[in-house]
Amino acid sequence: MKRVVITGIGVISPLGNDKETFWSNLLLGTSGIRKMTKLPLEKYQGNMLAAEVSWTDTEEDLKDCGLATRYAIAAAQESLRDAGLPTTFKGGNQHGVIIGTTNANQDVMDRTLDTFNIIEKNQDWPIEAQAMFTHMRPIEISTTVSRALNLGGPSVVIPTACAAGNYAIGTACSLIKSGRAKLMLAGGADGFNRSCYTTFYRLGGMTQEDCRPFDKNRTGMVVGEGAGMLVLEELEHALARGAHIYGEVKGYGITCDAYHRVAPDPEGKGASRAMEAAIKRSNILTSEIDLISAHGTGTPANDSQEVNALSQIFGEDLERIPVSALKSMLGHCMGAASALEAIAVILTL
Amino acid sequence: MEKDIAIIGTGFLSAAGRGLEAFYRQINEGMPEGSVLTDFDPDQYLGNKGLRFVANSTKLYCNVAFQAIEAANLTEAVAQNPDGFGLYDGSELSFVDEVFEFDLTAKVQGPDYVSPMKAPNILGNASASYMAIRAGITGPNFSVSGGAAGSLQAIDMAVLHLQEAQTEYGIVGATDGDCALHDILQRGEKRKTTLKPAPAFGAAFALTTVENARAGGHHIYATIKQVASGQRLGFEENHEVLLRLMEDILKQGGRRKEIDGIVLGGAHTFETSKLIEELWWDFDMDHAKIHLPERLFGICDNNAGSLGLLYAMGLSGNRIEKTSVKSLRSCLIGVVDRLGYASMILVSF
């Protein structure tokens, strides 16, 4: 069985847009959560917070693309540089990219409606608006990264919401283990947009104070954005080129709690089965685990079900194992969340 | 591939009717003038309650997925082993009208006027996650955004999980909808074709390993022997990425002389004459007849791979009237999206 290792990481986040800044801010306990600036504050009631990315790309040919696409390219390029690889490959089917996302390029919808003042459902769209709108397609995230870096292999966008970054990392791992690829870029990307922010606003999921995962008095999550990309390689491939190896992806598990459209199973059955599968497929014991990176959104519903799930799997070992929940600093970066949290774990090793 | 994968059930729904017979009727006789799909769950798998806030694309996905489960006699197996089933959705933009209405309401009327009940509809995994809830399926819940090649990409992911024994069965579906925003997108893309978009339809397949299918006494409609996917690179044209995937499949063990059909989707994005020329001269495959079912059915946004697979099944069973081909032994089914992402499978009958 082939082994899969991580040799590069790239970050665009509310805590900084490179590995070093991201990591030092995490160590300092700096919070990226501020007053929301990317939508008109007066339209929302209360103390509206967000974990926004402060970054502007300079590539003219990407200006029409969605934020997720632009963040993903920047993070992908940084991950390749970090891995000591060129940012242009030679093509072929052995190098690919998989990106998880929640809302993909829905900011393009915002931009199109705002730029062309579209205010009615059946309004005629100018030709320029139609052209701009084509950049909303989620697939554009991975195809743009693939073409920019000349990655000719699998190019996948997985829109599975909060879990999407982990889905991407796991799937990339499977493709390498199956022999379909030697190297994959995998991670998550999401850009700030009106639909996403409004969703959590209307669902009553957002805090108007601090985001305090697992706190008894927690009051909710904060919407964030960003991208996290990892370079995954077949071990032999990495060793042959003398790459620095951050860690190994031992295994993963993916499940669905099949419970409710917007609420997790209070017993945490879906999460516990995913952890159980990951541990089993990794062929390790729970006693060998030294750190748990939790989803920890800070909402009452998520954190309580997650504690139930962790208790089912780890039992008394939970007294010993530290549990991190970085959304208190990063906010909830949607499809990028689990990729950024995976990067933080890798930097912890 | 290590294990051959069997297709053991199918689902189909359009304004022409439900099931495989309706598909053949639509291909052979065309869609009756003025027919529009208005009942997205004629079988009442979902019942009537609680559907007010569920998108039509989700109902359509659920209907064809339930059809595939039923056709494969898996209803009991789902109840007994919900973890052993994975759900896969290859629809990229079936939810785009929902996003538009949600965002338009937030912009024009304000965020306080947006219905939180409609929030789940704006997520790319809305359909597969709703199906999981309704069917009680708790294995991988996987949506992909592969554009026209999305349904083949979803099959690719289901095959990957079956190969790894992450699942015992995969239910793979995709939908194409009649929606206003699709028209705008298509105009924005400036498609160079006189072919009309495909009318709304959904298609789904139930997959398992051949070994499992035989052990369970399932009828095998077709066997998936190989899969490949890749991205068009800067120096390539769309037909060239398909040829590259074909080469990959042949390298994996596909038997050139046994392949007597090539069913392609997304042909409006490349010159078929160039592909045929290279197939003859470089691939020595002039014996394989090329089929372009979108010329009969209309151009698919997500479901070109499903269409290709259903069409190939029809060819193998001598159910397609507008062709001189009366049988099919082994067939490549490939789709390339406008953005150059391509996916291909080799099936035998």
Side-chain angles (χ1 to χ4, degrees), chain A residues 160-206:
Chain A
T160 48
C162 315
N166 273 351
Y167 267 64
I169 295 166
T171 306
C173 180
S174 290
L175 285 170
I176 293 171
K177 285 191 173 184
S178 73
R180 295 256 312 265
K182 295 276 187 206
L183 182 149
M184 294 290 299
L185 295 184
D190 254 299
F192 195 88
N193 66 86
R194 182 164 51 213
S195 293
C196 178
Y197 199 79
T198 303
T199 291
F200 289 102
Y201 171 73
R202 291 294 287 139
L203 288 172
M206 286 199 284

Side-chain angles (χ1 to χ4, degrees), chain A residues 43-45 90-93 102-103 106 109-110 113-114 117-121 123 125 127 130-131 133-134 136-140 142-143 146-147 150-161 167 171 174-175 177-178 180 194-196 198-199 201-203 252-262 273 281, chain B residues 53-54 58 83 92-93 95-96 99-104 106-108 111-112 114 116-117 119-126 130 132-133 136-148 153 156-157 160-161 164 166 181 184-185 187-189 227-235 244-245 248 337-339 341:
Chain A
K43 290 206 168 189
Y44 295 84
Q45 296 177 39
K90 289 180 181 172
N93 295 352
T102 297
N103 294 104
Q106 287 186 19
M109 176 80 83
D110 300 358
L113 299 191
D114 294 347
N117 197 28
I118 290 164
I119 53 170
E120 288 177 24
K121 194 178 170 186
Q123 189 174 335
W125 288 40
I127 290 170
Q130 294 169 15
F133 185 60
T134 61
M136 186 196 159
R137 293 186 64 195
I139 189 180
E140 189 168 280
S142 69
T143 57
S146 291
R147 282 183 296 185
N150 219 36
L151 302 163
S155 178
V156 186
V157 172
I158 306 175
T160 48
Y167 267 64
T171 306
S174 290
L175 285 170
K177 285 191 173 184
S178 73
R180 295 256 312 265
R194 182 164 51 213
S195 293
C196 178
T198 303
T199 291
Y201 171 73
R202 291 294 287 139
L203 288 172
Y252 70 103
I254 48 177
T255 62
C256 175
D257 66 6
Y259 180 76
H260 188 276
R261 296 187 91 191
V262 293
R273 283 186 297 102
R281 293 182 75 205
Chain B
F53 297 106
V54 177
T58 296
D83 294 357
E92 185 191 23
L93 281 174
F95 63 112
V96 68
V99 180
F100 174 60
E101 284 195 42
F102 192 92
D103 197 30
L104 194 66
K107 169 187 160 63
V108 178
D112 289 322
V114 169
M117 299 298 285
N121 293 333
I122 71 165
L123 296 171
N125 65 337
Y130 190 69
I133 295 166
I137 289 176
T138 53
N141 194 279
F142 214 105
S143 301
V144 293
S145 301
Q153 190 175 66
D156 187 346
M157 294 298 115
L160 191 66
H161 292 162
E164 293 184 314
Q166 279 206 61
L181 270 281
I184 289 169
L185 195 69
R187 288 202 296 273
E189 288 176 349
V227 294
S229 70
Q231 173 63 38
R232 179 192 73 215
L233 300 173
F235 53 85
R244 178 152 57 84
L245 298 189
D248 192 1
D337 182 79
R338 187 183 66 84
L339 292 180
Y341 168 71

Side-chain angles (χ1 to χ4, degrees), chain A residues 68-107:
Chain A
T69 301
R70 286 145 66 179
Y71 292 164
I73 286 196
Q77 287 170 332
E78 193 203 343
S79 71
L80 289 173
R81 282 191 290 269
D82 186 51
L85 288 161
T87 50
T88 307
F89 284 76
K90 289 180 181 172
N93 295 352
Q94 288 286 308
H95 308 131
V97 59
I98 306 188
I99 299 174
T101 188
T102 297
N103 294 104
N105 288 318
Q106 287 186 19
D107 57 298

Side-chain angles (χ1 to χ4, degrees), chain A residues 33 211 213 222 294-297 325-333 337 341:
Chain A
I33 296 169
C211 177
V222 173
H295 188 35
T297 59
L326 304 182
K327 290 180 178 72
S328 55
M329 293 178 276
L330 273 170
H332 189 332
C333 300
E341 288 154 12

Side-chain angles (χ1 to χ4, degrees), chain A residues 4-27:
Chain A
V4 180
V5 294
I6 297 160
T7 58
I9 51 185
V11 173
I12 296 287
S13 82
L15 287 179
N17 302 323
D18 59 77
K19 176 181 78 174
E20 291 76 18
T21 313
F22 173 75
W23 183 233
S24 67
N25 275 326
L26 280 176
L27 292 179

Side-chain angles (χ1 to χ4, degrees), chain A residues 246-284:
Chain A
Y246 283 102
E248 178 178 3
V249 183
K250 300 285 285 182
Y252 70 103
I254 48 177
T255 62
C256 175
D257 66 6
Y259 180 76
H260 188 276
R261 296 187 91 191
V262 293
D265 173 10
E267 293 179 39
K269 286 182 199 158
S272 65
R273 283 186 297 102
M275 286 187 277
E276 195 174 18
I279 291 165
K280 188 178 172 190
R281 293 182 75 205
S282 302
N283 201 22
I284 58 171

Side-chain angles (χ1 to χ4, degrees), chain B residues 83-94:
Chain B
D83 294 357
F85 281 75
L87 278 168
Y88 305 83
D89 181 11
S91 316
E92 185 191 23
L93 281 174
S94 289

